[in-house]
Amino acid sequence: MDHDLIYSIRMRASAGNRHISGAERIISSNKLEATVQTLVTRARSRKTAPEQVVITIERLGNLPISRLTALDVVTVNAPDMAAGRSAASRILQSLGISEKSIMGTLNLLSNGAAPFGLNMRGAMIIDAVSGERLEPDPERGIRASRFDWTDEALDTMTKKLAAIGLTHFRTHEALALATKVAHAPGIIAELCWSDDPDYTAGYVASPRIGYIRFPILKLQDDPRGGRVFFVDRNTLNIEVFIHYLQFEPVLIVDGGTCRNPVDPEQYFTV
Ligand code: COA
Ligand code: AMP
């Protein structure tokens, strides 16, 4: 791609003041029209019809683009929410995150981490030791943005994910987001489960152990969800961290490995 002709294109759809869906790509200028069409179709594909769809097209110009390899993926087949959260907590602890920080976070995500028990519009930033929240605005949080797969990497990864039974578009989108986040300066790990009442899966991701997916991290029909970025506040430069996540473009140019699903005990004994 000619660097001068690369664009970030982002879509957000809402009804009233409720966000319905969002998606983004990084593409060359010859794909702009087709991508707008795909994103509008995507905006209209949810159960709730959007009242407003905003498409933003921004030339990246001379901004350097980081080229990354996707995190390795494995599903830990914990059979229910309690087993999923317990395995996720054990993995987070193995990465050096304190029990206090993990328990506090699970509590926040379960009850709605924004004021009045609502979902946040982005992720919490949490100190891995004390559990203290560091994001400047606890209603908004921080959103990772300006990331995408190259067509070739997406094609390769879609096939690899399908081979281990993962065909939902959310998986490759979440994997792209988690790959960008895992390369943030100062990140230790990310924990996520969706706010979509019909989507119970979630993940723990980290630069050290990759992307660990759990089919059930919340109950069916629960509209609460969120994301957490665990950091070490003693070494973190929070401005640099937030700037990277929001604004620095990332293209994923290669797929990682995809392991067959394992049960929790297998995961911890390998
Ligand atoms: N939840 C609630 N509101 C949201 C939102 C979300 N997830 N994303 C955007 N909005 C609304 C907010 O009101 C926001 O204002 P704020 O910054 O005060 O919160 C406003 O839209 C503008 O958001 P902004 O991020 O500046 O818009 P954008 O058009 O540049 O990008 C997205 C929108 C949704 C594409 C981008 O924020 C994003 O999340 N990209 C990643 C998408 C993705 O692949 N997700 C993977 C999920 S598995
Ligand atoms: P989703 O995976 O889209 O269901 O989002 C789950 C939760 O993650 C949302 O409720 C937000 O709190 C948060 N979130 C949404 N988009 C982003 C983003 N781009 N970066 C970080 N957190 C996000």
Side-chain angles (χ1 to χ4, degrees):
M1 282 199 258
D2 177 347
H3 203 127
D4 273 353
L5 299 175
I6 300 178
Y7 288 79
S8 161
I9 174 163
R10 306 184 296 278
M11 177 279 292
R12 58 188 157 92
S14 55
N17 56 9
R18 194 162 73 87
H19 176 81
I20 302 174
S21 76
E24 61 179 88
R25 305 286 326 260
I26 292 176
I27 48 157
S28 52
S29 59
N30 61 336
K31 292 190 180 142
L32 277 174
E33 285 82 357
T35 307
V36 169
Q37 188 154 13
T38 309
L39 290 174
V40 171
T41 305
R42 172 71 179 276
R44 301 179 65 198
S45 68
R46 299 296 291 263
K47 264 189 242 163
T48 313
E51 284 166 14
Q52 191 186 41
V53 179
V54 178
I55 305 261
T56 303
I57 300 173
E58 219 171 60
R59 194 158 65 91
L60 292 179
N62 292 326
L63 280 181
I65 303 178
S66 300
R67 288 162 194 275
L68 305 178
T69 298
L71 297 174
D72 295 339
V73 178
V74 66
T75 296
V76 171
N77 259 338
D80 55 36
M81 181 182 86
R85 288 190 187 181
S86 158
S89 303
R90 223 172 129 185
I91 292 170
L92 290 168
Q93 274 192 52
S94 75
L95 294 168
I97 299 164
S98 73
E99 196 178 344
K100 180 180 175 197
S101 185
I102 296 165
M103 290 306 150
T105 298
L106 291 176
N107 213 13
L108 283 164
L109 287 182
S110 308
N111 294 310
F116 309 110
L118 297 171
N119 289 323
M120 294 173 68
R121 307 199 294 280
M124 289 183 269
I125 302 175
I126 292 213
D127 176 43
V129 177
S130 66
E132 201 179 326
R133 288 176 72 166
L134 305 175
E135 72 279 5
D137 176 349
E139 207 169 327
R140 177 184 191 271
I142 295 299
R143 277 191 305 278
S145 182
R146 292 150 177 91
F147 58 86
D148 197 4
W149 301 89
T150 59
D151 289 344
E152 299 73 23
L154 181 58
D155 193 45
T156 309
M157 204 60 206
T158 303
K159 288 179 186 140
K160 283 190 190 179
L161 289 169
I164 56 165
L166 300 176
T167 51
H168 201 292
F169 65 82
R170 273 178 180 280
T171 310
H172 69 71
E173 291 185 353
L175 178 58
L177 188 153
T179 299
K180 177 169 186 184
V181 172
H183 289 78
I187 189 79
I188 299 177
E190 178 188 355
L191 167 68
C192 167
W193 66 78
S194 176
D195 55 34
D196 181 339
D198 293 327
Y199 195 77
T200 61
Y203 63 86
V204 168
S206 99
R208 268 173 56 195
I209 55 167
Y211 183 96
I212 323 292
R213 182 178 183 274
F214 302 90
I216 310 173
L217 279 187
K218 72 169 194 182
L219 298 176
Q220 177 72 27
D221 298 329
D222 183 350
R224 279 162 302 195
R227 276 193 166 79
V228 187
F229 304 148
F230 290 101
V231 297
D232 173 358
R233 76 173 309 171
N234 294 319
T235 55
L236 186 77
N237 180 327
I238 195 153
E239 285 81 24
V240 170
F241 181 74
I242 291 175
H243 188 269
Y244 165 83
L245 289 169
Q246 295 187 146
F247 298 114
E248 294 178 27
V250 159
L251 261 181
I252 302 172
V253 295
D254 211 351
T257 63
C258 289
R259 257 169 79 190
N260 282 322
V262 294
D263 67 38
E265 283 323 308
Q266 262 177 303
Y267 181 82
F268 290 111
T269 48
V270 176

